[in-house]
């Protein structure tokens, strides 16, 4: 693929407070950095204190506010919103985990419950917490990170696939419910992206059925900053007329 270089748009998020989850690594980290470099006050959530410390240490002058905690738990969500100090212009729900490619017949309860908690419940809890602030302000933008697995049944196991389809549903429901109140809610569906996400294929069924499909259609992996470019566009006011979309950012995988 041709080389891509991130170009900062100075001031695009000036005066705005933006919560980004999963900010310690990969797509969330790239999104937090992009927003902060473009003038936004970033409240950075991640379950890993160490990763957040690294992020802040890398750019100490950008004023990123780290809030460590499990974003599927209500107390962490409340701490993130409290750190925003009564104003949230935009929210990027990026934190997520993969499953182990289990099919339904072999899906362990603990994987189902954890994947749904981190990928779906966190989006419910955090959106629920910031929407009253956005409604009060009469404006706001939420971007949820979905996946290629939210667009098709052949990109992950049952739990992750169901979780990302649920993210799309939450996105569309909220877009309709709050669109006329000035709040836009969109999703980005990344294809393969170079990050630290773990995706062990622990299923013989997936090795037989899914793995060969990857070999046939998977486009080259993107850099996390390329996903941040898509996410920050939808977060920004340039996306003014866009509400309720699930935007594939996947090098064209969705078209195959
Ligand atoms: N990397 C890909 O190929 C890919 C493809 C499609 C979708 N996605 C989605 O992109 C999002 C970001 O993933 P990534 O690839 O950047 O992964 P990553 O593992 O590099 O980063 C995810 C971050 O989220 C944090 N996190 C995990 N669970 C958390 C929790 N309960 N509370 C708070 N923070 C938590 C992790 O500590 C990590 O820092 C996820 O929603 C993932 O499903 C990734």
């Amino acid at each position: 693929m041709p080389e891509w270089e991130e170009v900062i748009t100075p001031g695009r998020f000036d005066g705005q407070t933006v919560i980004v989850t999963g900010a310690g690594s990969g797509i969330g980290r790239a999104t937090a950095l992009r927003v902060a470099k473009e003038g936004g006050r970033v409240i950075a959530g991640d379950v890993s204190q160490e990763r957040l410390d690294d992020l802040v240490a890398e750019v100490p002058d950008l004023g990123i506010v780290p809030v460590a905690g499990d974003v599927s738990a209500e107390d962490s969500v409340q701490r993130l919103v409290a750190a925003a100090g009564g104003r949230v212009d935009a929210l990027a729900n990026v934190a997520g985990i993969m499953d182990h490619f289990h099919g339904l017949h072999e899906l362990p309860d603990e994987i189902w419950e954890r994947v749904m908690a981190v990928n779906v419940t966190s989006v419910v809890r955090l959106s629920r917490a910031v929407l009253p602030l956005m409604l009060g302000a009469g404006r706001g933008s939420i971007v949820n990170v979905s996946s290629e697995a939210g667009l098709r049944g052949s990109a992950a196991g049952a739990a992750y696939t169901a979780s990302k389809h649920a993210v799309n549903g939450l996105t569309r429901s909220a877009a309709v419910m709050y669109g006329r109140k000035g709040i836009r809610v969109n999703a980005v569906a990344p294809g393969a992206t170079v990050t630290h996400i773990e995706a062990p294929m622990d299923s013989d069924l997936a090795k037989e059925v899914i793995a060969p499909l990857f070999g046939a259609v998977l486009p080259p992996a993107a850099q996390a900053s390329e996903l941040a470019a898509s996410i920050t566009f939808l977060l920004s006011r340039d996306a003014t007329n866009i509400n309720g979309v699930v935007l594939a950012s996947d090098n064209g995988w969705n078209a195959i």
Side-chain angles (χ1 to χ4, degrees):
M1 299 299 291
E3 197 123 313
W4 182 80
E5 205 173 300
E6 181 174 76
V7 178
I8 299 302
T9 306
R12 190 163 54 145
F13 291 97
D14 269 0
Q16 297 190 43
T17 297
V18 183
I19 296 178
V20 181
T21 71
S25 172
I27 297 168
R29 189 177 201 278
T31 301
L33 283 169
R34 180 93 191 240
V35 171
K37 286 176 185 171
E38 296 187 352
R41 176 172 178 262
V42 171
I43 313 299
D46 202 285
V47 74
S48 166
Q49 177 77 61
E50 197 184 339
R51 286 178 171 182
L52 288 176
D53 290 346
D54 287 349
L55 172 68
V56 172
E58 185 184 315
V59 286
D61 300 336
L62 292 183
I64 292 176
V65 179
V67 179
D70 177 350
V71 79
S72 68
E74 189 62 27
D75 68 309
S76 308
V77 166
Q78 291 304 324
R79 284 188 293 110
L80 275 168
V81 177
R87 173 180 181 155
V88 179
D89 297 276
L91 162 66
N93 284 308
V94 188
I97 53 172
M98 266 292 275
D99 62 11
H100 293 228
F101 283 87
H102 291 115
L104 261 178
H105 80 283
E106 56 189 352
L107 175 59
D109 273 351
E110 59 273 20
I111 291 184
W112 168 253
E113 281 158 17
R114 190 64 191 146
V115 168
M116 292 302 283
V118 177
N119 293 4
V120 183
T121 305
S122 67
V123 175
V124 172
R125 289 189 189 282
L126 199 45
S127 305
R128 185 173 66 186
V130 305
L131 277 164
L133 297 174
M134 292 179 171
L135 286 167
R139 72 197 301 171
S141 173
I142 298 176
V143 176
N144 299 320
V145 172
S146 179
S147 168
E148 199 70 26
L151 308 178
R152 59 182 74 245
S154 57
Y160 187 81
T161 302
S163 76
K164 294 302 187 178
H165 278 71
V167 167
N168 297 351
L170 289 170
T171 302
R172 293 190 175 109
S173 167
V176 173
M177 292 278 195
Y178 305 108
R180 292 184 187 199
K181 313 277 184 196
I183 300 166
R184 297 179 298 100
V185 185
N186 294 293
V188 167
T193 310
V194 181
T195 68
H196 289 116
I197 205 161
E198 290 171 22
M201 196 176 273
D202 291 343
S203 159
D204 288 340
L205 182 62
K207 284 179 188 148
E208 179 192 332
V209 179
I210 305 276
L213 294 174
F214 280 175
V217 301
L218 199 65
Q223 299 300 314
S225 56
E226 297 181 77
L227 272 302
S230 304
I231 293 166
T232 54
F233 164 63
L234 288 176
L235 284 176
S236 81
R237 292 181 182 154
D238 264 354
T240 173
N241 199 34
I242 304 178
N243 190 26
V245 304
V246 178
L247 176 68
S249 180
D250 63 356
N251 259 321
W253 186 1
N254 70 92
I256 298 171

